[in-house]
Amino acid sequence: MLDLLVAGGLVVDGDGRPAYPADVGVRGDRVVAVGPLPHAGAHRRIDATGLTVCPGLIDPHSHSDWSILGNPTAQSTIRQGVTTEVVGNCGVTYAPLGPASRTAAEAALRGFGYDGPVDWRSFGDLLDRVASIRTSQNLAWYVGHSALRDAAGVGTGAPTAEQLAAMAELLVEAMDAGALGMSSGLEYGSGRSASTDELVALAGVLRTRGGRYASHIRNRDTALGDAVEEFFTVARAAGGRAQLSHLNVRHDTGAGSDAWGLAVERLAAERSGGTDVLADMTPYADGIGMATGLLPPWLLADGPAEAAARLDDPDVRRRLRHDCDRYWRFVHRGQWDRVTLQASPATPELEGLSFPEIARRLGGDEWDAYFDVLAAAGPDLAHVQLLARLFTDEHVAEAISHPLFCLGVDAYTSRIDGPLAARSRHPLFFAGHVHYLAHHVRDKGTLTLETAVHKMTAMVADHFGLPGRGRLRTGSFADIAVFDLPRLRETATTRAPHAYPVGVPYVVVNGRLVVDEGSHTEATPGRYLARQH
């Protein structure tokens, strides 16, 4: 007797081969049969006639570690068929924590809907806290390089020998707790101050522990080539297993017309030479970013509270107007209409507004509005997030169709109510994964269904070392998503973003139904997927 039978569907198994009709039988947490099962008995039978049955989707680049404590049922992502998320990206994790970073983490996590104690120190302690509340999806974690710096008390400067040793010790603790490896974010925060030598030193720890290196690289416009070279220097020091996060070029930021193509050629050459490297891309032309990424190092040198206080000085503001040409360089070119305020702990009433709208509300121009928001944030300066139209539609399609790119969303799991809803004012959070299938596959034909599913399942599982995930075959873990592809629809819009998609009637995680007939069952069968040695 089977526990679950998904009968009569069209199976897209994750390997990229053509879809085929088959039944899927589940017993316990495993798939025990894929094929014709006309006489099989089951405690629960799902009629999947006319539906697409595939492995649960795996997001290779998620920030759901920011929101999972406030949203353990992973409402917005699980309802899209996402059963596993690779989190801890871009250098920003809320562990390990030092005395100063614990205070900042507590303030940030409150904004993401978590009201419990922030009493952990080590990376393993945070994992234990998440395990204690249980989650609906599986999670595989990186530890953030910026978090290591902050916990070791480095700040925005260069680490002393003692601080670098402390960072290495904290990284060892995280690796011993099962972290996939270390991620870096080199365009903002304390990660921006890191030298290549510092990264290479920490990469040596990854090499000895069989870890991976993922990076939001230092530049994606005029110096993209140099940033890619730095990435591969660190990746080789780490043992050659790496992820080049969201490899793209922001529109109208001064990058050469061939910059992205040359970067991708470099990626392909490294992979052909034996480096286990892939990249990822996001589904929309819009993306989130850190507001402090525009600011120069001299303003941030003494910490966020002091930087925010200095923004009250008119002379500092005048200087900054000519010294913020970095990160989202189109802003320096006057294109503030592309930018909205995504998250602002001190001014939540302005969240979701464009900067021209904020400027009209506060008085002054868009630069004044930007400085006012950051000044109000005070010590929470680093937690102000922006959202902007970053890319052209053509560039998005080009990147997601490249064979070395898996498909992520670069957001975090959210919900349509509570504090998280206020922080999630874009379809990215509620329909990013569905957008790949409904828009890029079904409507635009950018990818075939089989290719898209492969890039969202087996390709990710193989690269990140998640055995038994990413494929529908006998013996695999029973992570399953069932889609009604003709009816699959994003109901979230930029004006009304708080809506879950339709057309995902069933989602199974480790053999348990988490979405049943389109409704969340509140089940939390997710697991921590520790690094495989």
Side-chain angles (χ1 to χ4, degrees):
M1 177 72 71
L2 298 171
D3 292 317
L4 176 67
L5 176 64
V6 183
L10 190 68
V11 168
V12 181
D13 63 13
D15 271 326
R17 61 176 174 166
Y20 57 94
D23 305 323
V24 179
V26 174
R27 187 176 295 119
D29 65 354
R30 298 280 180 162
V31 174
V32 295
V34 179
L37 301 170
H39 306 298
H43 294 293
R44 174 68 188 275
R45 183 183 187 277
I46 291 172
D47 182 2
T49 303
L51 304 179
T52 299
V53 183
C54 67
L57 306 183
I58 306 174
D59 190 335
H61 188 99
S62 170
H63 291 285
S64 287
D65 51 308
W66 299 353
S67 61
I68 195 63
L69 286 169
N71 181 30
T73 51
Q75 293 286 336
S76 71
T77 46
I78 205 78
R79 291 171 182 266
Q80 297 180 66
V82 179
T83 58
T84 299
E85 300 184 52
V86 179
V87 300
N89 287 288
C90 297
V92 183
T93 55
Y94 292 123
L97 296 177
S101 55
R102 177 179 287 110
T103 301
E106 183 169 4
L109 289 167
R110 294 291 178 261
F112 288 112
Y114 175 62
D115 58 6
V118 180
D119 54 3
W120 58 85
R121 172 192 172 273
S122 73
F123 192 75
D125 291 341
L126 172 58
L127 298 181
D128 289 343
R129 175 57 54 83
V130 174
S132 72
I133 63 172
R134 301 200 56 82
T135 65
S136 288
Q137 85 283 50
N138 305 307
L139 296 168
W141 295 67
Y142 281 99
V143 63
H145 164 252
S146 294
L148 299 175
R149 287 186 124 242
D150 294 343
V154 179
T156 58
T160 64
E162 291 78 13
Q163 288 172 330
L164 186 58
M167 291 168 66
E169 183 177 344
L170 292 169
L171 179 54
V172 167
E173 287 182 0
M175 298 300 290
D176 287 348
L180 295 176
M182 181 185 75
S183 73
S184 66
L186 305 179
E187 270 194 305
Y188 46 72
S190 62
R192 188 164 64 183
S193 302
S195 67
T196 306
D197 288 344
E198 174 188 324
L199 295 167
V200 166
L202 295 172
V205 175
L206 299 179
R207 177 188 285 271
T208 61
R209 301 280 170 154
R212 295 166 172 78
Y213 176 63
S215 185
H216 174 133
I217 57 177
R218 205 175 293 273
N219 180 278
R220 284 182 282 159
D221 45 69
T222 56
L224 175 62
D226 292 340
V228 169
E229 288 304 318
E230 179 185 46
F231 168 80
F232 282 116
T233 296
V234 180
R236 284 191 293 271
R241 293 196 287 182
Q243 182 74 7
L244 210 172
S245 300
H246 38 58
L247 175 57
N248 46 50
V249 173
R250 304 177 187 110
H251 177 59
D252 197 18
T253 54
S257 59
D258 60 348
W260 185 82
L262 292 173
V264 171
E265 288 178 9
R266 186 76 178 82
L267 176 73
E270 282 284 339
R271 187 164 177 87
S272 296
T275 303
D276 181 11
V277 62
L278 291 174
D280 51 72
M281 184 53 182
T282 53
Y284 294 103
D286 299 342
I288 57 175
M290 302 293 189
T292 54
L294 278 67
L295 298 174
W298 59 262
L299 183 71
L300 300 167
D302 296 321
E306 178 62 24
R310 294 185 68 186
L311 287 169
D312 289 329
D313 185 336
D315 290 334
V316 169
R317 291 192 176 203
R318 278 192 289 271
R319 182 180 174 188
L320 286 172
R321 285 171 177 265
H322 302 285
D323 197 8
C324 287
D325 188 10
R326 60 183 59 77
Y327 194 41
W328 290 359
R329 306 184 88 111
F330 56 85
V331 170
H332 201 72
R333 299 181 178 202
Q335 297 172 27
W336 278 107
D337 58 302
R338 292 168 59 176
V339 187
T340 60
L341 183 61
Q342 168 66 23
S344 179
T347 56
E349 70 278 5
L350 302 177
E351 292 175 347
L353 299 179
S354 71
F355 272 83
E357 291 172 318
I358 296 172
R360 287 192 292 271
R361 182 171 295 194
L362 299 182
D365 64 8
E366 291 88 352
W367 280 109
D368 287 321
Y370 171 66
F371 298 143
D372 288 345
V373 167
L374 291 179
D380 294 331
L381 187 80
H383 303 300
V384 179
Q385 294 177 8
L386 309 178
L387 190 144
R389 187 168 181 83
L390 300 179
F391 319 112
T392 64
D393 292 336
E394 294 77 15
H395 182 45
V396 173
E398 181 181 35
I400 68 172
S401 60
H402 193 280
L404 296 183
F405 280 63
C406 39
L407 306 182
V409 171
D410 193 12
Y412 45 83
T413 190
S414 189
R415 54 189 304 135
I416 62 174
D417 53 11
L420 265 175
R423 294 292 170 90
S424 312
R425 300 177 187 272
H426 194 275
L428 182 74
F429 302 93
F430 298 94
H433 306 274
V434 162
H435 189 73
Y436 282 121
L437 300 177
H439 177 78
H440 290 294
V441 171
R442 185 192 62 203
D443 296 343
K444 294 296 183 182
T446 308
L447 299 167
T448 67
L449 175 62
E450 291 85 354
T451 299
V453 169
H454 173 67
K455 285 170 165 279
M456 301 169 82
T457 58
M459 183 177 182
V460 185
D462 292 349
H463 183 59
F464 288 91
L466 308 176
R469 312 283 172 180
R471 289 177 174 82
L472 270 187
R473 62 186 183 191
T474 300
S476 67
F477 287 100
D479 295 344
I480 304 169
V482 180
F483 296 99
D484 186 342
L485 196 59
R487 292 184 60 249
L488 189 62
R489 183 166 57 88
E490 313 165 48
T491 56
T493 67
T494 53
R495 291 190 176 275
H498 300 127
Y500 300 125
V502 298
V504 190
Y506 303 101
V507 180
V508 179
V509 179
N510 295 314
R512 291 183 61 189
L513 274 165
V514 180
V515 176
D516 190 357
E517 297 183 356
S519 296
H520 200 308
T521 67
E522 303 300 315
T524 53
R527 297 174 182 172
Y528 169 46
L529 306 183
R531 183 184 77 263
Q532 299 296 301
H533 298 282

